[in-house]
Each structure stands twice: as structure tokens, then as C-alpha cells.
Amino acid sequence: MSVPHEILAGLLNIVLGLAFLLVVAALLTWVERRLLGFFQDRPGPNRVGPFGILQVAADGIKLLFKQDWIPPFADAGVFVLAPAIAMVTVMLAMAIIPATPAIGIIGNLNIGVLFFLAMSGLGVYSVVLAGWSSNNKFSLLGGMRAAAQMVSYEVFMGLALLGVVMLAGSFNLTDIVHGQRHMWYVVPQFLGCIIFFLGGIAETHRLPFDLPEGESELGAGFHTEYSGMKFGMFFVGEYIGIMLVSAMTTVLFLGGWYGPILPPFMWFGIKTGLLVCFFILLRAALPRPRYDQFMAFGWKLLLPLTLLNILVTGALMLGLPAST
Amino acid sequence: MLSSVRTLWYTFLHLFQPNVTVQYPDEMPYLAPRYRGRIVLTRDPDGEERCVSCNLCAVACPVDCISLQKTEHEGRWYPEFFRINFSRCIFCGFCEEACPTYAIQLTPDFEMSEYNRQNLVYEKEDLLISGTGKYPDYNFYRVSGLAIPGKDKGEAEHERPPIDVRALLP
Amino acid sequence: MTVFLIDGKEYTAKPDENLLQACLGAGLDLPYFCWHPALGSVGACRQCAVKQYANAEDTTGKLVMACMTPLAEGARFSLADPETAAFRASVIEWLMINHPHDCPVCEEGGECHLQDMTVMTGHAYRRYRFTKRTHRNQNLGPFIKHEMNRCIACYRCTRFYRDYAGGRDLDVFAAHDHVYFGRHADGTLESEFSGNLVEVCPTGVFTDKPFSARYARKWDMRGAPSICTHCALGCNTTANERAGELRRIVNRYNGSVNGYFLCDRGRFGYGFVNAPDRIRTPLGRGADGKQAPISREDAVARFGALLRAGGRIVGIGSPRASLESNFALRSLVGAENFHPGVSAHEGVLLRLVTDILTSGAVHVPSLRDVEHADAVCVLGSDLPNAAPRAALALRQAVRGAGIVAAAAAEIPYWQDAGVRTYAGEVRSPLFIATPAATRLDDVAHTALRAAPNDIARLGFAVAACIDPGAPAVADLSADLTAQAQLIAQALLAADRPLIVSGVEAGEISVIEAAANIAIALRARGKTAALMLNLPECNSLGLALMAEGAGGLAAALGEPAALVIVLENDLFRRAGSAVLDTALAAAHLVVLDHSDGPTSQRAELVLPAASFAESGGTLVSSEGRAQRFYQPIFAENDVRAAWRWLGEAGRAAGNNACAGWSTEDDIVAALGSTLPHFVAAPRAAPLETFRITGKRISSEPHRFSGRTAMNADRNVREPKPPVSADSPFSATMEGYYGKMPPALLPFAWAPGWNSVQSVNKFQAEIGGALEGGDPGVRLLDAHKDATLAYYTEIPEPFAPRPGMWRAVMLPRVFGDEELSARAAPIRERMSPPAIALNEQDAAQIGAAGGQLLACELDGEPQHLALEIHPGLPRGVAGISGLAAKVHALPAWIAVTTSGLGAS
């Protein structure tokens, strides 16, 4: 029995893509610590292998060999499910990123943007369920914060990229990149870009918006009870999330693979990489806001701004028909 | 908002500054004489134990890791035993601050790891060194009013000879 | 009450107090040195200076010394005034000019009044750059260490030692800033109250020598309220422990009992607790006939088997064991088999004393009552040796007339120097009738030397003079008649007459005579206080519990299968010949903490707890039940005797003690079983007592070395012990603050680290503690109680040719069994001696110091001769042979032995 050639190619694409993602996510843990070190005038992990790069392997081995612990008071099924959701949703969302017209799993999906939003919406479950199933007050508080934070910032994130969708006239990410052949959307949609990126930080609950973890007040928030590889899965999910938000920002606002001289995948890689580094810089530089400040910032500032952005974008598109 | 951006910029600039980390143990750091490391008991310039077993270090210790017992020999006070449980010590240096005789001193040595916690319990013979440490000149019994062999009443610093109680002269 | 103002705020105090007392009573912190609540004011140190204002308009005021300032209604003072604050600081600075740099090597450090006051006034920096004066020290004996350099010349030591305690050999020498407090030459301080100098001295001139040898700072010791076990007065003490060792005994204030002072026997007699030869493991006699350590389980099993074996079981209680242990033994063996472990003669005396005291017809005075008596008659008791603290109280009672006279001249009682000068030789009458001279004779109106029979006759005669209804004494000599009339008049003229006697008088008739005087005074409408001193710390408790059961004679009269001896050395209670026959066929089980002839003979020895390893209740000769608590939590088999008895009872199927898990349970059972002890459970709060939900911390909050003390044995810290019987936590965790005074584990208040901090726990300075003085009185007089006159008047004492009436002359050091094991006390003990009148000595041709032979209890004794000129002819005083007191009084033959003079 022969398998059709396309299916094999597709499977290979998927497996290679996912493997690449996992490797990069693992490397990111090292990159992040090195970079944080440099920002803080210290070397960071530099003892294992050249430049300390094998720290990644050491950590992986350590996580794998740790006891796979489920607290006796936890809801075991949900407790196991939650980190899986965290990882699966972001990896699914990564599937729609078109690195170049040729590289990518389904970069040409006609509802790409919607799929991205749907997956990040699903991602909320991982945190909520983790916090709830741990049966621990800190975890539960962390989960509650995460739910409120992610549901809220999803609204601004979705609204912020509507401007791009309006300009491109498509939900297809490949089409959106094509629409930036002459001008990156960051120029007409500067506000949208900023808000989308902020929303992205909140969605990935990265510093400074890591209130669900908030170790100073909540221990480690929703993943207080997690250890070993289940804890590792949350982290892989988080790092893939960083890449996802960086890649989405690149695709939506920074012209995707377009750039002079260098080949397209290099341009995509450079832009995404710089954004990932910016994520790390944010962590190194900014303190965590108070929870109420953070929510007020979203609903009282970002929401009016995104609505205004959509209004102005729409008005200009109607008022200046020549530009389309 | 602007301050956040400025913070980001300044933090970013640190990327281009040299590291301050010293690569211990490949590279040994400089430890100042007043570094707070391993605790020792010193001797006075005459070579006698400085510790007079006053218990002030023990009471100053926030983790209660010093224990000692006073004993006496020819008018001098000594510790019969002097024990520091370094597995509890936090190297705060309060004991050195409290010590009225400069006996207990913290030294620039912190390499005292052990595989067995019991080995971190140091007794007087482990703590006592043969030198004066950071304060070469101080000798408590030259200042105190106690009489010890070689220093009778009235022979300490700033002391007059003992009173003859039978004299009525002013 | 008088209202006065300090810094504009109103306070109240008793009108006869001085301002310093009033300020301290109001909780204000005012530094002082020379003033002491028991010693009064002399205004010497100038430390308690405050501003006094003439009226509300006066803003200048004048400096006055608070301790010398009487209160007046509405008087205005200021403590905070900057001028007085600076004055007080400069006084301290002045005192510190010559103070040596000694605090680290000073035993007083950390509980030093001078340190406290220096911090209080804020003097922190030495400006004086010139030389310090120095002194040479003296060797003051085994109790007290001397370090004269530290003296601030407050004169408290000589005021206590000479004026208060009547000592002669400590004085002040030299002049101006050369003053020297010490003896005329090196030598042991003679007074039996010398230990109080440690607490009286505000700095480290006089320190505790035995404590210095095993020194720990005050903040490093667990404290437990304790009761002195070395005589029957029940002085309150604090027992201090560190590292499983009893480090020292200090006074614990009890306004009704010992106040601020202890005797040296009580303070320095604790050494038996730490003795290396203590019984610390159960010992069983093996097949080889030798005692060998056995396990706790084996010991209980063997004891249980002996109990099950049947036959007559005899339980012998102990006057030095707690009520709890005695009652447990009584319950285990049954009341009919329980016997007080006292000699036959002492048993008779104890029964008489309990009959008198429980009748309710006489008032049993507390030591505070004794201090306030205004006429005292002592019959047969050498109190300074038998019960020193009571003698100290009598010495104060004698001052009463002088204080009254001074008050008439408007000199307040606290004006110590003024009162003493004005009073001169004016004293309240104190009559002493004893065979030999006592150290109280110097303040006595009359000190009469007589044989016990004559003392009794004198007492009966006094009673007859007071109340013609009392039995008259026939053929009384003219001398004694005159004396009796004099005493009777003095007692009748007094408001608070006191009669003192005790078991140490040795004769029933003497105690009966004392009782007769009290009955006679009552018949004349006086409330007479009768103080009957007893030999041991729980003699009265045991006598009340035994309910008339006799001494050892009854216990050992019939053969017994099993004899259980509780904390007692029977060889001090009966002759060895008697004991040998009585114990020959019986199994002997001894529960005791200290080794002795009885325990060495036992088949099974169980290590019982001393007063420092368990709690318990003791009944003092005042009838005051007082609770003591456990400072030592030992990791060995030592446990309270009642726990051993309960366990053995369970093992034998005897469940009389099965329901008892704490001391409270036993005391409750005791209270419901025996009517005399109904009040005993109220002696102290129960184990379940908590303040703000917490136990009371028994260690100061600065207790050090917790993670290092035991680290030499194991670096892992042991779980702290838990006190099963008391509301104390064994650590620094718990409540410390205002608490029931029976539970005060150590005296400390913020800014007051010395013993003077007790001010903060008194309802009135020098008066009762806040919450009432600890302990509960079991014996109280009631109006309708009656006691008939005793009528058996003894014949006059007639010397017998060639024989002497041997009586016991008590000695403060050595007579008491447990304190005699303490090293410092042993240094003060002298070899046994026999005292004779000089004519008697001449008659047998013996000189002082020569060894004389006599026979006591069937055993030959060689005793050094002491010539006592006052001793009546025909009477021989035996001293230093407390173990043979059971054989006295007796007629003995005394001969010069061939050993020659020593």
C-alpha cells in the first residue's frame, strides 16, 4: 500500500517543523539566560559546553529525571491535561505562520488570523485548569488572574490586528505579507502594532505581565505544584508562545519575509529573532505592575485606543479610496 | 511610559558593558580583611586566649549557633568549650561586633563546605588560632580591673595602685 | 491614698510611702542605688533626683531626692525635667569614673543594676581620662566572691549585713573615695545570710562563688519557680538551669514568706541535684548480691512483681518528698499501711504540732506576720540555726518599737538612718529561752539558758501568769517566776504577740508550754500567733496526711513482706540495729534521688526526681501549700516518684493511682480525699492554664545557643521537651508578662535586667505581689475553735551524777541532709561536737577541743568538746550529728577518751 506523496511530504513538513520549534524553544531558555546575564553585567550560564550551550541539554535531562509528581490533593486528570493544552495550542497556532511562501506548514490558510486567535483563546484553558486542578490557593489565584488577563488582552489583540486585516482585505497571513510588499503595516498601523505586541506579552504571560505567576505574592502562581517535565511543558509552551507572538508581529506588521539582498527566510528569522530578544529585554528591564493597574491599563487605555485605531483606519480607507 | 522606554534603553546599553562576575574557582576573588567568612578565636599579644567567655557573641547571634561555657584559671576567664554550629551560621558578623575583647573575628575564608553536616560543628580547638587576627595590639586584661598572673591590682592601664584601707591620708 | 502629680499626670500611692516607692509603684522608671525596699532610704547615692514644685505656678522647682521625699496630697514633681535628667546622668558618670572595664568578666553582667541604671540615664561615653582607684580583694569563703574595684559605695551591703541581718564581720573601712567594704581580714563571712549580698549589691562586688564555677548568664538559663527544700519555712526560690544542670538558686519574692532574702543553706545547698553520685538509673540487686543498673521496663516489672507477691506491704513516706509522691504511696499501699518516715520521737512531736495547728485555736503566722510581731517569746528554738529566715524575720520584729517611737517623732519608717538613730536601743521585747546561746541573743530583751524541762516550766508559768485558768507550775524558782511575770506582762501589753517554738526544742512539754501561752493569750482576748517550726520542707504536709499515724516504730513493728521507702534515709530516722532486724526479711524498694545507706541496702532502687526535675507541692510550717516547678528536663530515667509508683501499681494490677497523669490530678484527688488539703489545688494555676492561648515561657527571650548547645552530640536539633505537669513551655516560646505570681519563672522587665525588676511585679513596692502572694494557707484560725490547756507539767531539771542530758544543738550548715551534700555547704560544716558547761568540763577534767567519748544509739561517738558557758549544768549539747537526732534527747555518759586533744 502506497501512501500518497503529498501526505508523506506534509507529514514530514509537520514533524520537521515541530521538531525545529522544540529545539528552538529549548535553545531559547539558554538564550534568555545568557541575554539576561549580559543585560545584568554577568555572563549567565557558561559552564556547560561551549558558551554554556549544553546547559539546555543538562536542564532537559534534569527535568526528565525528576520525579513525575502529582500532588495527592490535585485533580489528577486535569492536572496532567493542563500543560499538554499549553503546549499543543501554541504549537497548533505556529502551524499557520508563513515563514516564506514556501516554508511553513499551512501558511496559506484563508482564516489564518482567526485560527491564531482561536488557538490563543484555547490556551487560556491550560492556565485556568492548571490553577484549578492544583487545589492550592496560590495556584487558584494565579489561574484566576491568568483567565481574566488573557481573556481581556485577547480582546485588544484581536481588535488591534483588525486594522491590518482591513488594510490587507484578508485573513490569510500569506496575503497579509504580500500586502506589505511596498510598505510594512507598522507604518499605517503603528498603534495597532504596539497594542498587538503588548497583548502578545500578556497572552504569553511574560514579564512584565507575568501576574499569573507573580512569585513575590503567589509563590509560582498557576504552576506552583508542577515539577519535572510537566513543568517543562509549561515552559516549552511559553517559549513557543514568545516565538509565536514574535512571528505574528513580523508577519502582520513587519513585512514578513520581505527585505533586500538576503534570502526571505533570513529576513523572517532576523525580524522574529530581534523581537524575541526584545521580549527578553523587557524582562530584564521592567518591573511587574500591580494587578489592578494592569487590568485598568487594558480596559481603560488600550480598548479605547484600539477602537479609535479601527475607526481612523476605516475612515481613512473610505476617505482615501485611491490608496487601495 | 517614557520612563519605561528609557529603562529599556539603559538596560539595553548594559549589553555592551563588561561583566563584573569573577570566575571563581578558576579565578580567585579578592576578599577584604573585613570580609565576613569563617569565624576564628584569636589570642592576645601575650599568646593567651582572648576569649573571656562573656557570652555576648552567643546572645548576639541571631541564629543561636554559638554555645560556650565559662571556666576560670588564676583569675582569667576562659571558655571550657566554645562551639559554633556553622551549619546554622549566617555570617552576619554580629558576634564580632559584640565581642568586647576582639577574640572572635570573621576571616576572609568561606571555603568550608562539608558533605556531612556534623562536620560543620566547630569546637574551640577548631576555632582557636595562634595569632591576634585583625587587632594586633589589644589585650583586654591590660584594660580590665581583674588581677591575673603578671598583672596585679592597680597595674592595668589608667589605674592607680591599690588603696591601703588602713591609711586615712587623703 | 495620696494623689500626687508627676509631669502633670496624677498618680496615687499610700500616704506613708516615699516618692521613689510611689514612682516605682506607679510603673515609672526612676534610677536608684542605695534605696532598697527592705532596707529603706538613706539618701546616699543622689541617683533618684527629681524636681519638686511648690505649686502649679512654680516653674523653677528644686532638686530633691525621691527616696528622701515624703508624699503630700497634690505634691508636684517632674522626672522628665531636663535639669534632673542631666543631674542623674552626671551622678552615673561620676560613679562610673572608677568602675573597672570588667563587665565581660563579671558574674553580675547581664543582671546588673548598675548596667540597667547606666542605660536608663543614658550615660554612654566615658569622658574622664584620668586613672581609676583600685582595691585588693578578700577571700570571703566558699559562698561569696569579692571584687572591690567594682564598688560604687552605695552602702547597701553593710546596711543589709549589719543593720538588717545582724552580722558583725562585714564593715566599711577607710575614708572618702577610698571606702572599702569587706572584713577586717580575709576570712569566711560568718552570717548565714551572706548570700543575699549577691542580690543586694547593685553591681558585681559580691557575686555567687559556686555559681561562678558553673557560670551562665541570666538570659541563658531556664527558670522555674521553686520552693526551698532545706527547711520547713517554704521560702520561694527560682531554680536556674542550663544544659541539664542546676546552676543556681536565687530568691523569688514572696511578700508573705521570704520577701527579698534567703539564707545561705537555701541558696547554696542545691549541689546534691548535680552530684555525680546521684541515682540516675534504676538499680536492681542481681544474683551476685550487687546492685546493677537495669532498664526502666525491668525495674517496673520487678516492682510490680513485688507488689503482686502479697504479704504485708509497708509504705514509708518522706517529709522531704512532695505531697504528690507521698499521696501516691499512700494510695498505692493503702492509708493503713502508710507511715510517715520520721523517727518515733519526731512522730510524737509532729502529731502534737499538727493537733495544735489544726485546732484552729491559734493563728499560724506567716513570716511577714512574724516581722510585724511586737512581742515575741521563743521557747527552746535556736532559730538562727534551725530556720534562719525566721530568725531574720524576728530580728526585724524587734525593730517594731523603735519604728513606732520614730513615727511619733514624725520620722517615717523608710527613713532608715533616722529611724535607727532615733530608736537607739528601743526594741520590741524578745524573750529567748534555749539551752545554748543563739545568734539572736544580741537583740533579745532576755536570753535565758535552761534545760528543756525548765524551759517548758517557764512556758507553763507564763501561761499561768496570763490566764489564771491555766495550769499552774508548782515549785518554780524565784528567778523563773520573775521571768514568767515579765514575759506575761510584755505579751499582754502587745498588740500582736508571738510565741515561737518548734520540733527542734526536742521535748513535747516545751511545745505544749508554747501552746498553753497561746491559749492563755486567747483566753485574755488577744490573737496570739503561734509559730511552731518543723524540721523538713514537707514535715507538716506529711504529718497532716498521716493523720496521726506514728513514726517508724509503728511501721516496722510487725514483719513486712515489702517495704517501700520514698525519698528517705531510714538510717537517719532509727537506730541501725532496729532497722537491721526489721528489714532483714523484707524486700526493700527505695525511691530516691541521692544515694545513702537505705538505698544501698535496697533490692530495687528507682531514681526519683529531685525538686529540680519534677514539680510538686510542699506544705511549709506556716501551713502554706506551695507549688514548685521543674527547671531540668533530663534525658534519663529520673522521674517523679509518683510516676514510678503509678506505673508499678499498674504493672501489679493495683489501679489506685491509674487515673493520674499530671500532678494536678493527684492534688485534686488529695483535696477530695483528705479534708486538710481541700485548698491545696488552689496553690497554683493548673497545667491547663494559658495566657492568650500560650504557655508561659520558662526561658528568657534572649536565650542563646539553641542550635549549638547539643550540636556536639548531634547537629540535628532535638525536639524541645514539653512540660506535662505545668503551664510552662520549656523554651523561650510562650507568654511572658503580667502573670499569676506563683508562675513567675524569672524576674525581668524591659530596662530592668537585675533582680530589682521584681518591682514591676509587685502590687505595692515591698508588699504583696500583683495577684496575691503565691501559695494557699491550709490552716486558718477560726473563732469558735477551742484547744484545752496541756496539763502535764514536767518536773524541774535535775542533773544526774555522771550523766548528762544530751540535747541537739542545731547547726545551720550540715544538719539538713540534702544541703549537706553541696560542696560549698560542706566547706562550712565543722566536725561533730559536744558542748558542756565549763564547770561540767572541769568536773570531768576535759579542755576545749579535746575528744570526748560517749555512746549514742548504741554506737560509740568521739566528739570534740566545746565549752558553752551559758549551757545549764548537766546538759550536753550535741551538734553536727543530725543523723543521730532520732536518739535524742537522752541521758548519756561522757568520758575523756584516750584519744587526747585534737
Side-chain angles (χ1 to χ4, degrees), chain C residues 380-430:
Chain C
S381 271
D382 179 4
L383 279 186
N385 281 313
R389 185 61 188 84
L392 191 62
L394 280 186
R395 199 172 274 282
Q396 310 320 309
V398 169
R399 288 190 64 213
I403 292 172
V404 171
E410 295 190 358
I411 304 172
Y413 71 93
W414 43 260
Q415 257 278 21
D416 194 57
V419 171
R420 283 183 198 275
T421 309
Y422 188 85
E425 295 294 302
V426 177
R427 296 199 183 104
S428 296
L430 166 66

Side-chain angles (χ1 to χ4, degrees), chain A residues 221-254:
Chain A
F222 65 90
H223 59 57
T224 305
E225 299 291 350
Y226 283 89
S227 66
M229 210 53 220
K230 288 202 284 297
F231 173 77
M233 282 158 82
F234 272 120
F235 262 74
V236 171
E238 182 174 323
Y239 283 106
I240 299 179
I242 296 171
M243 287 193 287
L244 175 65
V245 173
S246 305
M248 280 301 285
T249 313
T250 309
V251 168
L252 291 174
F253 295 100
L254 301 179

Side-chain angles (χ1 to χ4, degrees), chain A residues 38-39 41-43 47 285, chain B residues 7 11 14 19-21 23 26:
Chain A
F38 292 142
F39 286 134
D41 297 345
R42 59 186 175 84
R47 313 294 302 176
Chain B
T7 307
T11 311
H14 274 272
N19 289 336
V20 294
T21 308
Q23 293 296 315
D26 303 338

Side-chain angles (χ1 to χ4, degrees), chain C residues 846-877:
Chain C
Q850 187 176 348
L851 283 184
L852 299 186
C854 62
E855 193 168 286
L856 267 184
D857 187 29
E859 290 170 22
Q861 301 283 351
H862 297 283
L863 304 171
L865 173 65
E866 284 173 1
I867 307 281
H868 279 220
L871 204 63
R873 292 208 62 181
V875 173

Side-chain angles (χ1 to χ4, degrees), chain C residues 332-347:
Chain C
L332 185 73
V333 300
E336 66 284 1
N337 294 322
F338 176 74
H339 300 274
V342 295
S343 68
H345 180 61
E346 191 185 325

Side-chain angles (χ1 to χ4, degrees), chain C residues 143 264-265 268-269 812-814 819-820 822-829:
Chain C
F143 297 155
D264 290 353
R265 183 158 91 189
F268 301 110
V812 61
F813 300 119
S819 61
I825 300 280
R826 272 210 301 273
E827 283 188 50
R828 293 292 304 273
M829 285 158 57

